Every structure is written in structure tokens, then in C-alpha cells.
Amino acid sequence: MVRRDPHRVAARIVRDAGGSVVGRTRMQKITYLAQLAGFPAEFRFDYRHYGPFSEELATGLDIASALGELTEEVRVSDWGGTYSIYRLPREQPPADPRRAAFLQKAKEIGAIELELAATAAFLFAEEGIGRDKPGNPWHETRARKPQKAAEGRLEAAATAYADLRCLSTPKPLPELPPP
Amino acid sequence: MRGPKPQRMPKPQRIRCPVHNLIEFGTDQFEQTLWRAIQTPPFQRLRRIRQLGFSELVFPGATHTRFAHSLGVFHMARKLIEVIRRSIGADRTRMYGHHQAQVALAAALLHDIGHGMFSHAFEPLAKRLRLPSAEHERASATLIRDSEIADVLNAELGSGFANDVAALIERKEPGNLYDAVVSSQFDADRLDYMQRDRLMTGVQSSGVDPVWLLANLEVAAVRTGADDASAGEIETLVLGPKAVQTAQSYVLALFHLYPNVYLHKATRGAEQVFAALMERLLRLAADGHTAKTGLEERHPLIRFAKEPGDSARAQALDDHVFWGALPMLEEAEDAEIARLAGALRGRRLFRCIDVRAQIAVALPPRKDEAREKHQARIALACTRAERLLRMAPKCILTDSYSRSPYKRVQESQSPLNRILIRTTAGSPPQDMAELSPIIAAAEPFHILRAYVARDDDKAGRTIENIVRTSTRGGEEDGQA
């Protein structure tokens, strides 16, 4: 479990991400990928139907919003769901420049592509699909999320993931087989 | 010369169920095949796994099994598929997905065959020890692909059928309308267990009205996406306008079942004792100290401890195996195993200390403080307390859990984890939290409890210290 107060850890991720992050999905997935790339691993992630998800991070965000470490603005999306925008209440420079470069690049990826990329990475790294079990994590991601993977989004996710692998990180993101 | 043995004429099969009354399996190839799948050892094993684990220690009637539940889920799934068939049949431009419907029905029947002993009680420990059986969905999928169930399904329904069923259970996110029968807010699983658990425990609140819900379900295309990005439309089941109150009751029923039944402190306490006992047993056996456990080398629990990755070893375990082992475990050379086994066998449950409640008392609301902020301070102190409890001596058993009966703002909202209601013809379905202020205001349940032996005063004092330490900074948290 998280070793420090989860709201402070969550707020620091937003800080390193440039002071704002749009969406709970985006927040979860950039955090997961950053941890997978070796940046301090604070949160435990499980597989949910929307891919890797940390209850601890979700709790940390809720506490941070309520106690004023972050602000949360809830908006209605054009597809009918709601999404949150997290912001630091006042501007602060990144605490970890290398992580900041990673998070700021990751948060530019679309939320669906991020979900697909984080899911494929999770299936490879945690479930061993394509590593020590047969199968391809991208194919498995497409099978699990056919709607989201459609219209070239899976390929875009693979490209975005490959771009993230080019960044300087404490350890390289796992190299996934091609989709 | 004798000719080939004449094939037996298929005959309909009937089961009486305390919830659904009559559950029938017809003479067609599909339902006869499912009937044969029920006769396989992996499915029959479900007769020996109680649906509610240790709840029977609190609710003596709660002895129902995963076997009865699985049949009930199939029954409800058939009704949901009928809703889909009716809805699609009314539209001449669309085609009913016969294969997809059959896959969903088979998945409904078989979705629980990977469950470990005492249903969910073993999962947190298995997860902590990173055992392959930690997630029952994955274990179910493996069994459907690799056990005799695959032979039965593939021989009659096509070579890829078992794999299609396993993939549906494994992927968690419904890929099409038919999958929603297995995984959505109105899936067959929930429609069965809410009725069955209420009936068998005897709790009188938590009633649902499945007849009215089913009569008002319809198929609709709804938009989906993640955060601010759209991913097009997906078909799912939505409710018609006359079911708003029924849907509200449905969510409130869950709201009552959780504290009354699923999170009952005695049930959860027994689960903690069971998990502590299993952890000790698995470690001793894996380290070559089987003799200290009181069990023989060939006991299924010991074989599992030595090969936890072998699904056959996991399948050899069930509630009966565990209860049968308790007299031997009670005589174990290892004092901790003997103590925990005795506690479970004699229902000498540990003392429950509601840490969250103590923290709430220690952190009263400030003058003019918003409720959200006050709750956040309590939640923060609980995360601190849980961290300390997890580092405390093993004699303190820690239980934490959170559950939202209906969460409007999820990590990623999708039509499949929302209850959508079509209020007027032609308008897009609305989230039921927009229509029901009660549901919109429903807060998640959080528990943080510690369990200690009744005579362990030292452990009790340690917990008091942990509560004090965790709340010490709580007065300043959130202060400008």
C-alpha cells in the first residue's frame, strides 16, 4: 500500500504533470505507466474493466480535492459521461524534472489511447501475456475492448506507447510485441 | 450382429429453486450440452462452496452454494436474453446474434467455477501471495478452456465455443450487447444474488422487483467514451420511464445488503481468521514444515501449498475439505495454527475494533466545516491507521474495504457501469443519479476494522495508540 499520505502523492503527480490533468482515466493511466517506467511506485494497481486502476490513487484524489491540495472541476463530456479536471490551486514548479517530462508527454495522449496502452502494458507486465504466456497483449486488449480499439485507436495507442519508451526513465517501459 | 448402441433420447431436465421456482433445461442441443457441463466435476464442486462464505456463522440460513447461485444466474440470463431477442425481433433491420447469445448464457452458467474456498474469503490472501487463483474470473476462464468442460462445450457447440465463453468472462468489459447479460449494472449475476442472499439470510430489507425491472428493460444505443474522448456508440440494456422507482429500490437494496450482510463484522472477522490460518499453513508447508501443521503430506491443503500454481490443486479445495481439516489443524504442533483453527471451529471469533468509528470520534467536525472536508480528514486518518496496522504484529488482523452502491463519477464512466433510463421517446437515456436525488447522494461504504483475540489486551492498546497517532495531525489537515 501507499507509504505516504495518498493525497500528497496524488497532488505531486498533478504538479509534475504541469499543474493540471484532464480526466480520471488519464490520471490513473499516466500514473500507472510512470510507475511501470520506474518512477517511485506508490500505488497498487489492479485490473478493472477499464484497465489498470488504483483504488488508493482514487482515494488520494478525493482527499486532495476535499482538503484543497487540488481542485476538481467536473464537466459533462460530449458523449454524455462526466469527467474531472484536476488542477493545483497555485502554480508550482515540477518536483522531479525527469518524471515531469514523462507525465507531461503521457498526458497529451488521448484518454482512450492511454487506456488501451496502459491495458496492453498491464497485460504484458502483470499477467505475462506475450511474455511468459502465449498471446499478444495488444491483440488481447483489442479482444477485451473492441469498441475502444476500433477506428485505428489501438494502433495510435501502440505508437504513443512507443514514443513514451523513447523518454529517459529510471527503467525502460517494457517492450511490447507489435500489435 | 448388434448395431450401434441406440442414442438416448434427450429429455428435459427440471430443477426446483427456492428463488426462481422452476429452472428448466430443454431438449435442444444447446441446453442439453449445458446440462452435461453441469454434470462435470468442476461444476459439481460448486455444491461444496457456500455462496456467502462464513455468513452462515451470523445468518444460519445462509448455507446456499455457488451451485444453486450459478443455476439461478443462468435462469436470469435466459430472461435477459429474451429481452434482447424481443427488442431486436421488433426491428426488421437487425439480426439476433444467436451465437453471441449462447456464449453469454454459457458464461452466465459457468462464471463462478473458478471460485476458491468460501467464495471471496480466500481472494485477498491469494492476491497478496500472488497466487494464480487470486481472481476467480481468471481461474474460471482457465477451467473453461482446459478442463472437461471444454470437451463438453466444444464437442457439441463448435471447436471455439469454450474459448469464446472463457474470453467473455476474462475480459470484464462487455464487448457487445449480449455480454451485458454477464457484466453490467443489471447483469444476471446480480439479479440472482440480490434475491438469493436476501432470502437465505432472512434479512427483510433489500427487496428487489425483478419482474418489473425485466418488463421495462429495453435495448438502446448509447454513446460511450473515456474522460473527454468519445468512442462511438454501444448497444446496452436501459430501463424505460416506468422503472425509475424500481431502479432506485434496486440500488437501495444493494445499499442495505452491504452493511447488513456482506460487511457484517462477525462474518468479516471469521474471514480474517481463515485468511491468517491459511497464510500460516501455506508458509509452513511451502517451507517444508508440514509436520507442524497437523496435516499429512497428501492432504489437499498441503498439496495446494506446495504447488499453488497448479489449477488441479486449487480445484481440489473446497469448504468441505477445509472444515474436514479443522480437527487436525486444531491439534497442530504449531501453536498459531492450533489457536486459529480452534477459534473457527468453536466460533470463538476475535474481538472487532471499529478503527474508522474511533477515528471519526477523535476527529469531530469543525465549526462550519463542509461534510465533504470532514469525511476527507477521516479518510486520510484511516489511510494512516491502515498503514500502521499493516505493520503491526500479526496478532492484529486488519480488514479494510470500500464499496459504492452506485457511483456516478467513476474512473471511467461507461454505459455499462451506469444505470441508464430512457425518460421520453427519442431522447438519450439519462443516468439514474440525475433522476434520483437519493441515489445521487448515496455515499460509498468504508470499513477499517481490526480484530484481536479476546484476551489480548496488549493488542488492544496497540490499536488505541495507532488511532491516536493517525489522528494527531488530523486537526491541521486541510487548514489553510
Side-chain angles (χ1 to χ4, degrees):
Chain A
M1 75 176 293
V2 62
R3 294 186 299 273
R4 291 178 289 162
D5 285 342
H7 68 309
R8 296 247 154 80
V9 181
R12 192 166 288 208
I13 291 167
V14 175
R15 179 177 167 183
D16 280 354
S20 69
V21 175
V22 177
R24 287 172 176 249
T25 297
R26 190 175 268 105
M27 186 70 197
Q28 287 276 344
K29 298 334 179 207
I30 63 173
T31 303
Y32 174 70
L33 290 170
Q35 289 192 184
L36 193 60
F39 293 108
E42 297 279 354
F43 297 111
R44 183 201 149 128
F45 282 83
D46 295 313
Y47 188 82
R48 303 280 176 93
H49 77 259
Y50 28 75
F53 175 79
S54 168
E55 192 74 52
E56 294 168 344
L57 173 56
T59 301
L61 287 167
D62 288 344
I63 295 173
S65 304
L67 296 186
E69 300 270 339
L70 292 173
T71 63
E72 180 185 6
E73 182 189 346
V74 179
R75 289 190 185 175
V76 178
S77 69
D78 63 358
W79 58 271
T82 54
Y83 66 98
S84 299
I85 303 175
Y86 295 102
R87 294 188 183 91
L88 285 180
R90 56 203 158 269
E91 207 171 301
Q92 290 181 66
D96 176 345
R98 195 154 65 136
R99 186 171 78 156
F102 183 90
L103 290 170
Q104 288 177 30
K105 175 95 174 166
K107 81 166 188 177
E108 296 305 321
I109 302 169
I112 297 171
E113 287 79 4
L114 259 177
E115 179 178 327
L116 295 169
T119 299
F122 186 93
L123 293 175
F124 181 86
E126 309 296 331
E127 297 192 9
I129 294 174
R131 192 188 59 199
D132 33 52
K133 285 187 198 160
N136 177 310
W138 293 108
H139 297 174
E140 184 64 22
T141 301
R142 188 189 296 281
R144 293 189 188 194
K145 300 172 178 293
Q147 180 78 18
K148 287 175 178 162
E151 296 173 5
R153 286 187 286 261
L154 188 90
E155 291 71 19
T159 303
Y161 183 81
D163 290 346
L164 287 178
R165 289 195 74 244
C166 298
L167 298 176
S168 163
T169 53
K171 65 176 190 185
L173 278 174
E175 184 176 0
L176 307 184
Chain B
M1 185 178 161
R2 282 189 300 183
K5 199 175 166 185
Q7 273 204 322
R8 247 196 235 166
M9 285 290 287
K11 60 173 187 176
Q13 303 290 347
R14 296 186 290 187
I15 293 171
R16 297 308 292 265
C17 167
V19 178
H20 308 298
N21 196 347
L22 190 61
I23 299 176
E24 292 183 283
F25 287 79
T27 55
D28 61 278
Q29 184 190 29
F30 176 64
E31 294 202 358
Q32 287 287 308
T33 302
L34 293 190
W35 183 255
R36 277 198 287 282
I38 291 169
Q39 313 314 315
T40 60
F43 200 95
Q44 290 294 315
R45 173 179 166 271
L46 298 180
R47 290 182 186 276
R48 302 187 296 277
I49 295 178
R50 283 193 180 153
Q51 169 77 4
L52 292 182
F54 290 99
S55 285
E56 187 268 334
L57 295 178
V58 178
F59 303 99
T63 56
H64 53 305
T65 64
R66 290 272 154 192
F67 184 88
H69 165 64
S70 297
L71 295 172
V73 176
F74 169 71
H75 178 77
M76 291 311 300
R78 203 160 39 182
K79 285 178 179 287
L80 288 168
I81 288 290
E82 196 45 46
V83 170
I84 294 173
R85 187 203 290 271
R86 197 176 59 218
S87 184
I88 288 182
D91 181 351
R92 285 175 178 275
T93 64
R94 304 177 57 213
M95 202 162 59
Y96 174 70
H98 189 67
H99 175 73
Q100 292 161 317
Q102 288 193 336
V103 168
L105 284 169
L109 180 71
L110 300 170
H111 74 290
D112 268 352
I113 59 166
H115 255 296
M117 296 175 285
F118 302 100
S119 292
H120 295 286
F122 189 55
E123 285 182 0
L125 171 64
K127 211 174 262 186
R128 210 161 60 237
L129 300 178
R130 301 180 79 85
L131 302 181
S133 48
E135 283 188 33
H136 75 270
E137 292 98 340
R138 206 186 303 170
S140 295
T142 303
L143 273 170
I144 290 166
R145 283 195 183 99
D146 299 340
S147 73
E148 47 270 72
I149 287 177
D151 302 333
V152 170
L153 296 180
N154 291 341
E156 294 293 333
L157 304 172
S159 60
F161 193 86
N163 189 55
D164 289 350
V165 175
L168 166 53
I169 291 171
E170 211 165 34
R171 69 174 163 251
K172 296 187 182 179
E173 175 166 349
N176 59 54
L177 169 63
Y178 303 87
D179 293 5
V181 168
V182 183
S183 176
S184 67
Q185 286 283 344
F186 285 113
D187 62 34
D189 185 27
R190 193 179 285 184
L191 285 169
D192 179 79
Y193 77 67
M194 286 179 66
Q195 296 180 75
R196 190 174 302 278
D197 294 347
R198 175 177 184 254
L199 175 76
M200 302 305 283
T201 55
V203 295
Q204 298 301 305
S205 56
S206 314
V208 293
D209 187 351
V211 173
W212 193 248
L213 282 173
L214 284 164
N216 285 278
L217 275 175
E218 52 192 70
V219 175
V222 294
R223 290 180 296 170
T224 185
D227 292 345
D228 52 341
S230 168
E233 283 193 337
I234 187 166
E235 278 191 320
T236 192
L237 295 168
V238 304
L239 283 167
K242 292 182 180 171
V244 175
Q245 304 307 324
T246 314
Q248 182 174 281
S249 299
Y250 175 81
V251 178
L252 290 178
L254 259 187
F255 195 81
H256 293 139
L257 275 173
Y258 268 86
N260 288 346
V261 176
Y262 306 137
L263 301 180
H264 193 285
K265 67 176 183 178
T267 306
R268 301 282 295 189
E271 289 176 3
Q272 292 298 319
V273 173
F274 164 73
L277 169 54
M278 282 301 300
E279 184 167 9
R280 180 78 179 158
L281 179 71
L282 296 181
R283 287 199 197 284
L284 281 176
D287 292 346
H289 301 301
T290 302
K292 291 184 180 176
T293 66
L295 300 180
E296 292 181 18
E297 287 287 349
R298 62 197 175 94
H299 193 281
L301 285 166
I302 299 300
R303 285 181 167 163
F304 173 74
K306 296 197 166 174
E307 293 174 285
D310 184 336
S311 68
R313 299 297 188 215
Q315 276 284 297
L317 302 183
D318 56 46
D319 298 7
H320 292 203
V321 167
F322 181 81
W323 285 122
L326 274 183
M328 280 92 82
L329 294 169
E330 212 175 344
E331 292 179 4
E333 184 188 328
D334 183 77
E336 192 181 342
I337 285 191
R339 184 176 68 96
L340 295 168
L344 271 183
R345 192 162 176 234
R347 200 195 180 278
R348 294 190 299 275
L349 300 180
F350 284 23
R351 180 161 63 102
C352 173
I353 299 171
D354 191 333
V355 176
R356 189 176 180 95
Q358 293 196 2
I359 285 173
V361 169
L363 293 176
R366 298 174 187 137
K367 186 175 179 297
D368 298 329
E369 184 178 41
R371 176 176 167 76
E372 188 189 31
K373 195 167 179 178
H374 178 225
Q375 292 298 312
R377 285 195 300 123
I378 293 171
L380 178 57
C382 284
T383 65
R384 291 169 178 162
E386 186 180 351
R387 202 158 54 224
L388 295 171
L389 285 167
R390 301 279 180 207
M391 292 188 291
K394 290 252 179 199
C395 58
I396 298 174
L397 307 176
T398 304
D399 185 21
S400 72
Y401 185 83
S402 292
R403 167 83 193 202
S404 174
Y406 186 73
K407 203 170 182 181
R408 192 172 163 213
V409 181
Q410 304 226 5
E411 184 232 340
S412 176
Q413 273 193 337
S414 102
L416 304 158
N417 54 26
R418 303 162 76 191
I419 295 177
L420 296 168
I421 299 179
R422 182 185 57 75
T423 48
T424 50
S427 63
Q430 281 180 273
D431 191 300
M432 78 162 296
E434 291 169 27
L435 302 168
S436 165
I438 298 173
I439 301 305
E443 292 182 351
F445 301 108
H446 300 287
I447 60 169
L448 179 60
R449 296 170 180 152
Y451 292 89
V452 297
R454 293 197 177 270
D455 56 355
D456 193 344
D457 296 332
K458 191 177 166 199
R461 284 195 297 277
T462 303
I463 294 167
E464 283 170 20
N465 278 334
I466 286 175
V467 170
R468 261 197 302 277
T469 308
S470 310
T471 53
R472 198 168 288 148
E475 294 80 19
E476 287 82 44
D477 288 321
Q479 299 276 44

